[in-house]
């Protein structure tokens, strides 16, 4: 049974790599699950915050023209529509990539702390220059929520907070590996070429982490993942939740990238033509870490929403 589960997971991963070579920060279904975790958490702890979030999201520029028709076409019952709005909000900044230049902010999704292990350097006080970082974007969108801006602008800012909370918990969205092979950085693992199995196509480390957990973006699959995450990673199991600072979250992710994504610089990249084979225990080791990060992101998003919108 275990072998069949692992084999099935690997097949899904390979299918994802071949059909979706673009790398984001968690894939869209995983971002949706983070939104769903926040929804479930708030339904119990602060239902008034859920109401406020939904009220704002209904003022989003995409609500009437895309989100509402989508929910109608899916025939979602009223009991699921609010949760689905949380899911759509969390994925929206990736949905608009290369489609909506007004809202498309590619540099907002990450920060490049420098990891240069061959020089003995792992620094969170220095970053590769990329323009505005995820930390600056997070602060800007929080300010919009606290401002007298129109609700439509606040709804856009709210979607960015949903999404950036997820991105900052993806270890490779905080890290640039710098070494002789990547003198300008490996772009958060996008240039770090790997293979899951010898027979699999060459992909990259970022894409591997991006699509590790969930592949289907249906309401049922996303909600099921969210429920499972909350069962396996309850709040009381996550002492890190006591830290509400996004900069601290980014530093946590940076440490995870060093220790686990790059395995303390023991993971070797391949060439552009041929990726290096991942160690046989790599998936089993890093998957629970990714799951915990997703749970943390969902709970922290819920806490942020209470802080910014709760009454």
């Amino acid at each position: 049974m275990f072998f069949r589960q692992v084999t099935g997971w690997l097949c899904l991963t390979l299918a994802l790599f071949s059909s979706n070579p673009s790398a984001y920060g968690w894939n869209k279904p995983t971002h949706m699950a983070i939104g769903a975790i926040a929804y479930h958490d708030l339904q119990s702890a602060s239902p008034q915050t859920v109401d406020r979030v939904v009220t704002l999201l209904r003022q989003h520029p995409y609500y009437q023209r895309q989100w509402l028709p989508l929910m109608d076409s899916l025939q979602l019952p009223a009991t699921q529509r609010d949760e689905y709005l949380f899911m759509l909000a969390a994925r929206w900044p990736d949905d608009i990539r290369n489609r909506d230049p007004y809202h498309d902010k590619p540099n907002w999704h990450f920060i490049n702390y420098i990891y240069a292990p061959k020089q003995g350097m792992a620094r969170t006080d220095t970053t590769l220059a990329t323009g505005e970082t995820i930390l600056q974007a997070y602060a800007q969108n929080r300010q919009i929520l606290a401002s007298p801006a129109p609700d439509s602008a606040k709804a856009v800012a709210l979607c960015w907070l949903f999404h950036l909370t997820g991105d900052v918990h993806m270890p490779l969205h905080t890290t640039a590996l710098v070494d002789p092979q990547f003198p300008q950085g490996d772009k958060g693992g996008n240039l770090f070429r790997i293979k899951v199995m010898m027979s699999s196509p060459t992909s990259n480390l970022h894409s591997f982490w991006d699509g590790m957990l969930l592949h289907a973006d249906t309401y049922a699959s996303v909600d099921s993942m969210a429920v499972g995450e909350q069962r396996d990673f309850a709040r009381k199991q996550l002492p890190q939740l006591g830290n509400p600072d996004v900069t601290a979250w980014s530093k946590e992710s940076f440490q995870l990238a060093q220790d686990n994504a790059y395995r303390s610089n023991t993971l070797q990249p391949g060439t552009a033509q041929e990726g290096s084979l991942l160690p046989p225990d790599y998936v089993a080791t890093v998957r629970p870490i990714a799951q915990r990060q997703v749970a943390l992101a969902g709970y922290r998003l819920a806490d942020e929403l209470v802080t910014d919108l709760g009454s």
Side-chain angles (χ1 to χ4, degrees):
M1 176 64 73
F2 175 77
F3 176 77
R4 290 199 300 271
Q5 289 174 337
V6 171
T7 301
W9 181 87
L10 288 174
C11 289
L12 282 170
T13 300
L14 296 178
L16 176 73
F17 286 167
S18 62
S19 64
N20 182 23
S22 299
Y24 296 100
W26 307 125
N27 60 7
K28 293 176 184 179
T30 307
H31 272 291
M32 293 170 74
I34 291 169
I37 291 169
Y39 173 84
H40 286 301
D41 192 62
L42 289 172
Q43 275 289 86
S44 299
S46 182
Q48 69 272 18
T49 302
V50 172
D51 293 341
R52 178 61 176 145
V53 169
V54 169
T55 298
L56 273 181
L57 290 178
R58 287 174 178 164
Q59 302 305 310
H60 193 282
Y62 278 47
Y63 180 78
Q64 290 292 338
R65 59 177 172 164
Q66 290 193 18
W67 294 351
L68 184 58
L70 175 60
M71 289 189 287
D72 289 342
S73 70
L74 295 174
Q75 298 182 326
L76 289 177
T79 54
Q80 295 178 359
R81 289 192 173 217
D82 289 353
E83 181 184 0
Y84 198 64
L85 269 182
F86 273 62
M87 296 178 186
L88 292 173
R91 65 176 282 169
W92 179 74
D94 278 348
D95 286 334
I96 62 170
R97 282 199 179 195
N98 303 317
R99 292 177 48 204
D100 189 332
Y102 179 74
H103 298 301
D104 191 0
K105 308 281 189 181
N107 291 336
W108 278 14
H109 296 257
F110 61 92
I111 185 169
N112 277 333
Y113 293 134
I114 295 174
Y115 177 43
K118 293 183 179 179
Q119 301 175 40
M121 182 187 303
R123 300 180 61 168
T124 56
D125 61 342
T126 304
T127 66
L128 295 184
T130 57
E132 291 179 316
T133 71
I134 194 170
L135 304 185
Q136 293 165 304
Y138 204 88
Q140 288 180 36
N141 285 287
R142 286 196 72 198
Q143 289 171 2
I144 292 171
L145 280 182
S147 76
D151 281 352
S152 58
K154 290 185 177 183
V156 169
L158 191 59
C159 287
W160 276 108
L161 284 181
F162 269 70
H163 191 81
L164 298 179
T165 301
D167 276 349
V168 80
H169 284 84
M170 204 284 222
L172 292 171
H173 265 242
T174 64
T175 311
L177 173 67
V178 177
D179 67 11
Q181 185 170 346
F182 308 114
Q184 303 302 315
D186 74 337
K187 297 185 183 296
N190 278 295
L191 302 180
F192 195 108
R193 308 294 278 172
I194 57 97
K195 297 176 75 169
V196 179
M197 298 183 294
M198 284 300 297
S199 59
S200 68
T202 290
S203 184
N204 65 73
L205 193 63
H206 190 113
S207 289
F208 175 85
W209 276 78
D210 187 26
M212 191 187 306
L213 300 179
L214 186 63
H215 311 286
D217 64 356
T218 64
Y219 170 86
S221 61
V222 171
D223 182 69
S224 177
M225 177 181 171
V227 171
E229 287 282 313
Q230 289 182 277
R231 179 189 64 240
D232 296 339
F233 297 91
R235 274 184 172 268
K236 62 184 180 181
Q237 298 173 263
L238 301 171
Q240 305 96 319
L241 285 171
N243 193 335
D245 178 53
V246 66
T247 300
W249 306 344
S250 71
K251 293 179 180 181
E252 291 172 3
S253 290
F254 182 51
Q255 191 64 54
L256 290 174
Q258 298 169 59
D259 296 344
N260 298 283
Y262 295 109
R263 284 205 163 179
S264 302
N265 197 38
T266 62
L267 196 68
Q268 297 301 310
T271 66
Q273 294 73 33
E274 185 73 12
S276 63
L277 186 65
L278 288 176
D281 66 335
Y282 190 84
V283 174
T285 302
V286 302
R287 195 167 194 269
I289 294 167
Q291 291 174 311
R292 186 189 64 192
Q293 287 299 102
V294 166
L296 272 172
Y299 293 135
R300 283 170 166 166
L301 173 59
D303 292 342
E304 183 65 43
L305 294 173
V306 170
T307 298
D308 292 339
L309 299 175
S311 56

